[in-house]
Every structure is written in structure tokens, then in C-alpha cells.
Amino acid sequence: MKVKSIFLNMVLIAGIVFFLAGCATTGGTKVSMSYEKYTPSFRAADYRHMKGKKVVLASFHNQAQNTRAWSYQSVDSNYVYEGNAALDSYYWYCFEKAFRHIGVRIVDYETDERHYRRYRHRYGWSAPGPGAYSAPKNVSEFQLILTSLTDQEFKFKVLVFKNGESRLDKEFAVKMPPAGTEDIPALEKRAYRLVDLAFTTIMKDRDFRRVF
């Protein structure tokens, strides 16, 4: 009985250690980010061609292996940028603000009981399509997949669907120079500028503009 009790205690301790390790934030000084504090800093007038358009924002997906669910690191691992939501949700809400900033109207899916098919991609998830719900006619569905993320480089994939068809499946990469500061508020602002850079890069892309 004593041996069994010791064994159970060891199992319990090991379980606690693994749990804490899984929940722990990667080492480094934390830089807190909040989609509620994010405000687009780019000129809306530069994207006047987008004003009045509509979009359905589908779920974003974080496939970046160099991130944790809620955070990413600086290249030198000295800082951990942690959001107030999981990264996919954090970027979703930031992009929602960015689209509204340039005059794009965010609309919801509509119910559609007549069709029951879904779209499959090699990433292993299903894009929203005709089925229980679908985007309104001639309105683009926008999805973003995070594939790699640090404070200096953001790689992602953009997918656009319209009228039940895939219109765009394109990879992007944006880069920023080293921070050059240890000031936490400045680093937080820099994280928001990375959102701006990703968003505006998409908006300027000819392929995106052609199908959106």
C-alpha cells in the first residue's frame, strides 16, 4: 500500500508539472496587446476604393508553429507579445476594426437550407460555404491563416470566397526592422503597427483587389 501511495503521488506531481508547463508563458518580458486598444493608424483615404464594399469575416486560424495560442516571441526571445485573446481571435477583431476603418461593412452569414456541402483545404479545416449558412450573394468571405509570427516577420495565408467559390488562396509575408527600444509601451504600439502592415499589404495586393 505504501508503494502504491508513493506511485500515485508521483503520478499526481508529474501531472501537475506537465499542466503548469503547458500553461506557462514562454520566457521573456511580457508585452501585453489588446484588440480593444488597437486603433488603425493608416490613412483610410488611401483605400477609398474599398469604401462601401461588404465582407463576411470567417474564422481565422493560427497554424504558426513558432507561437503559442495567445502569444508570440521577439526574434531574440527577450520579449513575449501576449494578446487579450487567442492570436486567431486577436487578429480577427483587429481586422474587423481595420475593415471598418476603411469603410467596409461587416455582414453576417445567411441561413441556407438548400445545400449541404463544405469546402476542404489541405490545412485540415473546412471553410464556411453553402450549407447551414452562407455569405450573401456577391459578398466576399475573408479568411486568414497565421503560418509564422515574430516581432519582425509575419507570414500568413489569405483566402477569399465568393458565391460559394474559391477566388483567392495566396501566401503573404511582411517584415519590420528590429525594435531598437526596450520601452514596453513602445513595443506594444509596434505590435499594433504589425497588424496595420499586414492589413494594408493585403489591401494593396492586385490579386486581392481583383477578386474582392
mmCIF file of all heavy atoms in Angstrom, residues 42-49 101-102:
data_model
loop_
_atom_site.group_PDB
_atom_site.id
_atom_site.type_symbol
_atom_site.label_atom_id
_atom_site.label_comp_id
_atom_site.label_asym_id
_atom_site.label_seq_id
_atom_site.Cartn_x
_atom_site.Cartn_y
_atom_site.Cartn_z
ATOM 1 N N PHE A 42 -3.209 53.831 -40.179
ATOM 2 C CA PHE A 42 -3.019 54.179 -41.584
ATOM 3 C C PHE A 42 -4.182 55.041 -42.071
ATOM 4 O O PHE A 42 -5.265 55.066 -41.476
ATOM 5 C CB PHE A 42 -2.888 52.914 -42.432
ATOM 6 C CG PHE A 42 -4.031 51.945 -42.274
ATOM 7 C CD1 PHE A 42 -5.184 52.057 -43.038
ATOM 8 C CD2 PHE A 42 -3.950 50.909 -41.352
ATOM 9 C CE1 PHE A 42 -6.242 51.174 -42.890
ATOM 10 C CE2 PHE A 42 -4.992 50.013 -41.188
ATOM 11 C CZ PHE A 42 -6.136 50.152 -41.960
ATOM 12 N N ARG A 43 -3.959 55.755 -43.158
ATOM 13 C CA ARG A 43 -4.963 56.668 -43.715
ATOM 14 C C ARG A 43 -6.065 55.888 -44.445
ATOM 15 O O ARG A 43 -5.790 55.151 -45.386
ATOM 16 C CB ARG A 43 -4.306 57.643 -44.691
ATOM 17 C CG ARG A 43 -3.550 58.776 -44.046
ATOM 18 C CD ARG A 43 -2.683 59.518 -45.052
ATOM 19 N NE ARG A 43 -3.243 59.555 -46.397
ATOM 20 C CZ ARG A 43 -3.989 60.550 -46.892
ATOM 21 N NH1 ARG A 43 -4.254 61.591 -46.141
ATOM 22 N NH2 ARG A 43 -4.428 60.506 -48.132
ATOM 23 N N ALA A 44 -7.291 56.059 -43.987
ATOM 24 C CA ALA A 44 -8.420 55.393 -44.641
ATOM 25 C C ALA A 44 -8.570 55.860 -46.083
ATOM 26 O O ALA A 44 -8.970 55.083 -46.963
ATOM 27 C CB ALA A 44 -9.699 55.651 -43.861
ATOM 28 N N ALA A 45 -8.228 57.115 -46.342
ATOM 29 C CA ALA A 45 -8.381 57.682 -47.686
ATOM 30 C C ALA A 45 -7.518 56.967 -48.714
ATOM 31 O O ALA A 45 -7.832 56.990 -49.914
ATOM 32 C CB ALA A 45 -8.043 59.172 -47.663
ATOM 33 N N ASP A 46 -6.445 56.330 -48.268
ATOM 34 C CA ASP A 46 -5.583 55.607 -49.199
ATOM 35 C C ASP A 46 -6.258 54.362 -49.756
ATOM 36 O O ASP A 46 -5.760 53.764 -50.714
ATOM 37 C CB ASP A 46 -4.276 55.214 -48.500
ATOM 38 C CG ASP A 46 -3.413 56.416 -48.159
ATOM 39 O OD1 ASP A 46 -3.640 57.494 -48.750
ATOM 40 O OD2 ASP A 46 -2.518 56.277 -47.299
ATOM 41 N N TYR A 47 -7.380 53.969 -49.153
ATOM 42 C CA TYR A 47 -8.089 52.757 -49.574
ATOM 43 C C TYR A 47 -9.547 53.095 -49.881
ATOM 44 O O TYR A 47 -10.453 52.307 -49.607
ATOM 45 C CB TYR A 47 -7.966 51.684 -48.484
ATOM 46 C CG TYR A 47 -6.525 51.441 -48.112
ATOM 47 C CD1 TYR A 47 -5.932 52.132 -47.044
ATOM 48 C CD2 TYR A 47 -5.736 50.585 -48.865
ATOM 49 C CE1 TYR A 47 -4.589 51.944 -46.735
ATOM 50 C CE2 TYR A 47 -4.394 50.404 -48.558
ATOM 51 C CZ TYR A 47 -3.832 51.084 -47.492
ATOM 52 O OH TYR A 47 -2.504 50.911 -47.199
ATOM 53 N N ARG A 48 -9.752 54.245 -50.469
ATOM 54 C CA ARG A 48 -11.099 54.707 -50.772
ATOM 55 C C ARG A 48 -11.814 53.779 -51.755
ATOM 56 O O ARG A 48 -13.049 53.745 -51.798
ATOM 57 C CB ARG A 48 -11.078 56.133 -51.314
ATOM 58 C CG ARG A 48 -10.293 56.308 -52.601
ATOM 59 C CD ARG A 48 -10.390 57.745 -53.131
ATOM 60 N NE ARG A 48 -9.828 58.697 -52.195
ATOM 61 C CZ ARG A 48 -8.539 59.064 -52.187
ATOM 62 N NH1 ARG A 48 -7.703 58.528 -53.072
ATOM 63 N NH2 ARG A 48 -8.088 59.932 -51.325
ATOM 64 N N HIS A 49 -11.029 53.018 -52.527
ATOM 65 C CA HIS A 49 -11.637 52.079 -53.471
ATOM 66 C C HIS A 49 -12.383 50.949 -52.758
ATOM 67 O O HIS A 49 -13.191 50.250 -53.370
ATOM 68 C CB HIS A 49 -10.570 51.480 -54.392
ATOM 69 C CG HIS A 49 -9.504 50.709 -53.658
ATOM 70 N ND1 HIS A 49 -8.448 51.322 -53.024
ATOM 71 C CD2 HIS A 49 -9.350 49.375 -53.460
ATOM 72 C CE1 HIS A 49 -7.678 50.403 -52.476
ATOM 73 N NE2 HIS A 49 -8.203 49.217 -52.723
ATOM 74 N N HIS A 101 -12.540 50.718 -40.554
ATOM 75 C CA HIS A 101 -11.787 51.967 -40.674
ATOM 76 C C HIS A 101 -11.757 52.478 -42.116
ATOM 77 O O HIS A 101 -11.805 53.687 -42.357
ATOM 78 C CB HIS A 101 -10.367 51.754 -40.153
ATOM 79 C CG HIS A 101 -9.464 52.937 -40.269
ATOM 80 N ND1 HIS A 101 -9.678 54.121 -39.589
ATOM 81 C CD2 HIS A 101 -8.324 53.133 -40.995
ATOM 82 C CE1 HIS A 101 -8.723 54.988 -39.882
ATOM 83 N NE2 HIS A 101 -7.895 54.413 -40.739
ATOM 84 N N ILE A 102 -11.702 51.559 -43.084
ATOM 85 C CA ILE A 102 -11.637 51.972 -44.496
ATOM 86 C C ILE A 102 -13.013 51.972 -45.161
ATOM 87 O O ILE A 102 -13.116 52.122 -46.380
ATOM 88 C CB ILE A 102 -10.661 51.083 -45.297
ATOM 89 C CG1 ILE A 102 -11.110 49.622 -45.311
ATOM 90 C CG2 ILE A 102 -9.245 51.211 -44.730
ATOM 91 C CD1 ILE A 102 -10.244 48.734 -46.197
#
